[in-house]
C-alpha cells in the first residue's frame, strides 16, 4: 500500500477494503471492551488549518484507543500561518512524530508535505478530497447494506470534496453512482472523467435530483456552502433550493434506502428535520464510524511505515 493517504484514487479496491474490514473488527472489539496498545509510544500531529469537531475528536479518540499520543496544532499555533515553507515543516515534524494528519484548504499542501515527509501524511480534508470521511461512509454502507459492489449511491447537491471522493470510491469499488448538482457546481471535471473511464459501472452526472435519486440504496447530501465559501451562502441558498432532500424527494429512492450526511448539517436547508431524524437516517452511526476507520488508518500506516 502507498505510504501516504492523500486521495482514494491512489489505492486498489483490495487495499481500501482491508482498511474498512479492519475498522469493522476494531469497532466490534471496542464494543466487547477489548483494549489495544499496538501504537503505544507512537505519536501523531494533527495539523489543522480548518476547524473541526468530528474529524479532530475521532482521530484523537482513535489514536488514544490504540495506546498512542496526539499533538494538535491549529494554523495560528504553527509556523504555517507565518509562511514557513511546507518542505521545512514536513521534515521537522517527521523527526518528532510517527504520522502527520492534515486538514487544510489546498490539495497541494498535503501533496507537498507528503513529498518531503519521512512519515505518513494523511489527508483529513482538503477542498479537493475528503478520503477518510468517505472511507467511513463506505464502512457504514457495508454495515447497513451488506455489500458495496452493487449498492446504488446518489449524491445530491454541491459537487464538492465529498462528491469528488465518492466519485473516486465508485471507480475503485465499481458501484453505480449518480450525482445531481446545479449548473456551475459540478464535481472536479478531471476526477470525474478519469473515474468514469475506469469504473465498470455507471458514474452519471445530472442537474435533476429526481433523476439521480430514483431507486437508489444510499442518499448522500452535504451543506451547500463549505468552509471557506461562507460569502456565497446567500447566493447558494437560492440556486440550491430544488436540491433540498425532503420527504417527497426521498420517496423516489428505494423504500429501504438509507440517508447519510457527514455533518454538520444545516437543518431546513440541504435536508429537512424530518429526514435527519427519520428512520432512514444513519448519520450518527456514520459519525461514530469515523473513529474506527481513523484508528484502522493510523494503525496501518504507522505500523506499515516502520517495516
Amino acid at each position: 500500500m502507498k505510504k501516504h493517504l492523500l486521495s482514494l484514487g491512489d489505492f486498489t479496491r483490495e487495499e481500501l477494503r482491508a482498511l474498512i474490514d479492519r475498522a469493522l473488527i476494531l469497532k466490534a472489539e471496542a464494543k466487547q471492551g477489548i483494549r489495544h496498545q499496538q501504537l503505544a509510544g507512537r505519536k501523531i500531529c494533527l495539523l489543522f488549518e480548518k476547524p473541526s469537531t468530528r474529524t479532530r475528536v475521532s482521530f484523537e479518540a482513535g489514536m488514544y484507543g490504540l495506546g498512542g499520543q496526539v499533538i494538535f496544532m491549529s494554523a495560528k499555533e504553527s509556523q504555517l500561518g507565518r509562511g514557513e515553507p511546507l518542505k521545512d515543516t514536513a521534515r521537522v515534524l517527521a523527526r518528532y512524530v510517527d504520522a502527520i494528519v492534515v486538514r487544510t484548504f489546498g490539495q497541494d499542501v498535503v501533496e507537498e508535505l507528503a513529498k518531503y515527509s519521512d512519515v505518513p501524511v494523511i489527508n483529513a480534508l482538503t477542498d479537493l478530497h475528503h478520503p477518510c470521511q468517505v472511507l467511513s461512509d463506505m464502512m457504514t454502507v457495508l454495515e447497513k447494506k451488506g455489500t458495496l459492489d452493487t449498492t446504488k449511491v446518489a449524491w445530491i447537491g454541491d459537487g464538492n470534496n465529498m462528491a469528488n471522493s465518492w466519485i473516486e470510491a465508485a471507480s475503485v469499488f465499481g458501484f453505480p453512482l449518480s450525482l445531481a448538482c446545479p449548473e456551475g457546481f459540478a464535481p472536479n471535471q478531471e476526477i470525474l472523467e478519469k473515474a468514469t473511464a475506469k469504473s465498470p459501472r455507471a458514474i452519471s452526472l445530472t442537474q435533476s435530483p429526481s433523476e439521480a435519486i430514483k431507486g437508489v440504496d444510499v442518499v448522500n447530501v452535504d451543506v451547500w456552502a463549505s468552509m471557506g465559501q461562507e460569502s456565497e451562502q446567500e447566493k447558494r441558498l437560492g440556486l440550491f433550493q430544488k436540491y433540498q432532500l425532503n420527504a417527497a424527494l426521498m420517496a423516489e429512492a428505494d423504500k429501504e434506502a438509507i440517508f447519510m450526511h457527514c455533518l454538520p448539517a444545516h437543518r431546513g436547508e440541504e435536508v429537512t428535520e424530518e429526514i435527519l431524524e427519520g428512520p432512514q437516517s444513519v448519520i450518527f452511526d456514520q459519525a461514530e464510524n469515523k473513529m474506527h476507520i481513523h484508528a484502522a488508518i493510523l494503525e496501518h500506516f504507522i505500523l506499515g511505515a516502520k517495516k
Side-chain angles (χ1 to χ4, degrees):
M1 188 179 276
K2 302 289 190 301
K3 178 178 179 179
H4 308 290
L5 176 50
L6 306 184
S7 69
L8 298 181
D10 295 334
F11 297 88
T12 66
R13 180 187 186 279
E14 291 72 25
E15 288 169 337
L16 296 182
R17 181 57 192 262
L19 290 173
I20 295 171
D21 287 343
R22 180 57 179 158
L24 288 167
I25 291 171
L26 290 172
K27 181 177 182 178
E29 290 178 344
K31 301 294 185 188
Q32 298 166 29
I34 297 173
R35 299 291 180 251
H36 292 285
Q37 288 293 310
Q38 56 266 50
L39 294 185
R42 304 296 177 88
K43 304 172 290 295
I44 63 170
C45 178
L46 301 185
L47 190 59
F48 281 28
E49 289 192 281
K50 283 188 172 185
S52 168
T53 298
R54 280 152 292 275
T55 300
R56 175 180 176 177
V57 175
S58 59
F59 264 111
E60 291 193 359
M63 186 61 174
Y64 290 137
L66 297 178
Q69 298 173 304
V70 180
I71 300 166
F72 177 82
M73 296 187 70
S74 67
K76 66 181 181 180
E77 295 165 331
S78 74
Q79 294 296 330
L80 285 183
R82 302 178 184 177
E84 180 177 36
L86 289 170
K87 60 184 180 182
D88 292 356
T89 298
R91 288 177 288 190
V92 169
L93 290 180
R95 303 284 182 110
Y96 300 151
V97 299
D98 297 281
I100 305 169
V101 180
V102 187
R103 184 175 172 92
T104 187
F105 293 89
Q107 182 70 14
D108 58 315
V109 173
V110 294
E111 290 177 355
E112 186 166 357
L113 287 170
K115 180 179 178 180
Y116 290 97
S117 174
D118 288 333
V119 300
V121 172
I122 297 167
N123 179 359
L125 176 142
T126 65
D127 288 345
L128 190 62
H129 294 286
H130 203 349
C132 297
Q133 176 67 56
V134 173
L135 273 173
S136 66
D137 294 350
M138 288 193 293
M139 175 184 172
T140 308
V141 172
L142 190 60
E143 283 183 317
K144 303 299 181 181
K145 294 297 178 181
T147 183
L148 285 168
D149 298 359
T150 57
T151 302
K152 298 176 183 177
V153 179
W155 176 267
I156 310 295
D158 188 25
N160 59 13
N161 51 3
M162 283 289 295
N164 292 335
S165 287
W166 268 109
I167 289 168
E168 289 198 335
S171 72
V172 172
F173 281 89
F175 57 79
L177 173 67
S178 55
L179 303 104
C181 306
E183 183 177 3
F185 296 90
N188 180 274
Q189 186 66 25
E190 182 179 349
I191 291 173
L192 181 60
E193 289 178 357
K194 184 177 179 180
T196 301
K198 176 183 175 183
S199 179
R201 293 190 177 90
I203 299 175
S204 60
L205 176 63
T206 178
Q207 292 178 20
S208 168
S210 179
E211 180 183 336
I213 202 174
K214 196 165 297 293
V216 302
D217 305 298
V218 179
V219 182
N220 274 286
V221 306
D222 196 4
V223 294
W224 291 339
S226 300
M227 278 180 286
Q229 300 171 336
E230 289 80 5
S231 63
E232 301 177 23
Q233 178 71 17
E234 290 304 314
K235 172 187 174 183
R236 288 178 179 236
L237 283 175
L239 293 172
F240 281 75
Q241 277 303 315
K242 76 172 187 176
Y243 293 84
Q244 182 190 73
L245 185 64
N246 50 37
L249 184 58
M250 190 70 186
E252 299 193 43
D254 184 84
K255 64 179 181 180
E256 300 295 328
I258 58 173
F259 161 69
M260 302 179 74
H261 192 309
C262 63
L263 301 178
H266 292 174
R267 293 168 181 254
E269 290 185 13
E270 72 272 7
V271 60
T272 62
E273 184 84 2
E274 180 182 9
I275 299 298
L276 276 166
E277 299 291 350
Q280 291 170 284
S281 176
V282 298
I283 59 175
F284 297 112
D285 292 326
Q286 182 185 356
E288 178 190 346
N289 284 342
K290 287 171 68 74
M291 176 178 65
H292 303 298
I293 201 73
H294 291 166
I297 288 168
L298 292 170
E299 177 188 63
H300 176 86
F301 282 90
I302 291 174
L303 296 182
K306 297 299 182 181
K307 291 179 181 178

